[in-house]
Amino acid sequence: MDLDVFVTAHRAEWDRLDHLLRRGRRLDGAEADELVALYQRTATHLSLIQTSAPDPLLTARLTQLVARARATVTGTRRASWRDAVTFLTAGFPAAVYRSRHWWVPTALLSTLLAALIGWWIGTHPEVQAAIGAPAELREMTRPGGQYETYYSSHPAASFAAQVWTNNAQAVALCLVLGAFLGIPVLYVLLLNMLNLGVGIGLMAGAGRLDVFLGLVLPHGLLELTAVFVAAGTGLRLGWTLIDPGPTTRRAALAQQGRAAIGMAVGLALVLFVSGLIEGFVTPSGLPTWARIAIGIAAELAFLAYVYVLGGRAARAGDTGDVEEADRSAELPTAA
C-alpha cells in the first residue's frame, strides 16, 4: 500500500471526524450519523495501516482519534456496586466454570504428582537422607516440630495476612506468566507440588501423615483449588497464543487476558478466605475432624458457587469478560 496516496485520499475524512468530535454535544441528527460512519471508517483505516504499512506517527494519531470517537459514540459510565455484585455472582464464577476443562485436569494431575513424590520420599530412606540430616528431619517431623509449629508461629491475624499475600502472588504469577506459552506456569506448579510432596513424604516416613493432613487439609483444599484455577487459566492463556480459534490472535488474547485479570481479583477473595482458615482454624484447638470438616465445607461451597452460579451464568452467555462498553474498540479486520 502506498501510504502517501492513502493519507491523501482519507485525510479529509479524518479531519472532518476530528472537527465533529471537537463540537461535542452540539451536533444535529445528520452530523451524529456522520460521526458514527466516520468513526467506523477511520477504525478500518487504522487496521489497514497497522497491517499493511505501519507508521508510528500516523498510527498514534488515528488510534487517538478512534479512541475519542468511540468514547463519544458509546459514552462513558462509572463503575458501581452493581458491577461488583454482577462480577461476584456471574462474571467470576462463569469464568472459572468456562475454564474448568483446563483447571480440573491440572488439579488432578498436580495432586497425583504430589502424591507420587510423597510416596517416593516416604518409602525411600535414602531419598529422605538426601533432603536433610537425620537430626534436622526429626526436628521437622516430631510432635511439636517445625511442621506443627509453623501454623502458630505468628499471631493469627498477621499470619493470615502473610499467607494471603504470598498465595495471591503465586496466583498472579500463574495468570501473568501464562502469556509466555504457559511454560513458566508448569514450573510454578511443579514447585508447589514438590513442596507438598516433600511434606507428605517426610511426615509419612515418620509415621505422622495423619497429623500432616490434619494441618494441611483445612486450608489447603481451597488454597490449592485457587492455585489450580489460576494455573489452568494461565495455561489456557498460553494456548490462546498457539490456537486463537476463529478470531484473530490479538482479539482472542485480549479476551482471555481480560478474563484472567478478573480471575485474579476473584481468586484473591478466595485466597482471603483460605488465609483466614489457615490463620485461625488450622492452628486452633479444635479437633482434627472439625478442622478438616471446615476445610471441606469451604471447598464444597466454592465448587457449588462455580458449578451452580457459574454454570448458570455461562449458559446465559456470560464469558467472564468485561462489559462490552468497557472494552477497547476492536478494529475491523481487513478483508
Side-chain angles (χ1 to χ4, degrees):
M1 179 176 68
D2 189 320
L3 187 60
D4 292 334
V5 173
F6 188 85
V7 171
T8 301
H10 299 289
R11 177 179 290 153
E13 293 177 293
W14 304 336
D15 292 340
R16 175 60 177 169
L17 177 59
D18 182 65
H19 173 72
L20 293 175
L21 291 172
R22 291 179 185 278
R23 291 188 57 188
R25 297 180 179 273
R26 297 171 297 173
L27 302 178
D28 57 31
E31 289 174 328
D33 291 340
E34 182 185 6
L35 187 148
V36 172
L38 288 172
Y39 158 58
Q40 294 172 335
R41 286 205 293 272
T42 303
T44 302
H45 297 160
L46 177 57
S47 178
L48 287 169
I49 291 172
Q50 288 178 322
T51 56
S52 302
D55 178 88
L57 293 178
L58 183 58
T59 298
R61 183 200 171 189
L62 293 186
T63 299
Q64 183 184 41
L65 194 60
V66 168
R68 288 169 53 205
R70 178 180 181 275
T72 300
V73 171
T74 63
T76 58
R77 68 182 187 87
R78 296 181 179 179
S80 65
W81 283 107
R82 183 177 180 182
D83 296 319
V85 172
T86 300
F87 169 74
L88 292 176
T89 59
F92 172 58
V96 178
Y97 179 83
R98 289 173 62 88
S99 63
R100 68 193 184 281
H101 298 301
W102 285 89
W103 63 262
V104 170
T106 299
L108 295 176
L109 293 175
S110 299
T111 303
L112 178 61
L113 176 62
L116 290 175
I117 293 174
W119 169 83
W120 181 54
I121 294 174
T123 56
H124 292 76
E126 68 276 11
V127 178
Q128 300 174 33
I131 294 175
E136 294 176 341
L137 298 183
R138 282 195 298 271
E139 178 60 28
M140 293 171 64
T141 59
R142 68 175 177 81
Q146 294 176 10
Y147 273 120
E148 292 186 39
T149 58
Y150 169 76
Y151 297 101
S152 56
S153 57
H154 300 283
S158 62
F159 182 70
Q162 179 183 353
V163 166
W164 178 46
T165 301
N166 292 338
N167 290 332
Q169 289 175 346
V171 163
L173 280 176
C174 286
L175 294 171
V176 171
L177 296 178
F180 297 93
L181 298 179
I183 296 174
V185 177
L186 298 176
Y187 177 72
V188 173
L189 269 179
L190 178 60
L191 286 182
N192 278 273
M193 294 306 101
L194 183 60
N195 288 332
L196 179 59
V198 168
I200 292 174
L202 293 180
M203 290 294 276
R208 308 191 69 233
L209 181 59
D210 57 334
V211 175
F212 181 77
L213 295 179
L215 291 170
V216 171
L217 290 180
H219 64 274
L221 290 173
L222 189 60
E223 177 184 300
L224 286 175
T225 299
V227 172
F228 295 146
V229 170
T233 303
L235 293 174
R236 183 184 185 185
L237 183 62
W239 183 253
T240 301
L241 289 170
I242 300 173
D243 181 14
T247 62
T248 64
R249 182 169 281 102
R250 177 185 298 176
L253 189 61
Q255 179 182 353
Q256 295 298 332
R258 290 191 298 264
I261 292 174
M263 194 86 77
V265 176
L267 291 178
L269 298 177
V270 175
L271 289 172
F272 178 74
V273 176
S274 72
L276 291 178
I277 296 174
E278 188 169 359
F280 292 93
V281 176
T282 299
S284 71
L286 291 173
T288 300
W289 67 264
R291 289 185 278 112
I292 293 178
I294 292 174
I296 292 175
E299 174 72 1
L300 292 177
F302 176 71
L303 293 178
Y305 167 71
V306 169
Y307 278 87
V308 176
L309 287 183
R312 182 186 306 155
R315 287 188 292 272
D318 199 322
T319 64
D321 200 352
V322 297
E323 295 291 335
E324 185 175 0
D326 296 326
R327 303 175 197 167
S328 298
E330 291 186 4
L331 300 175
T333 303

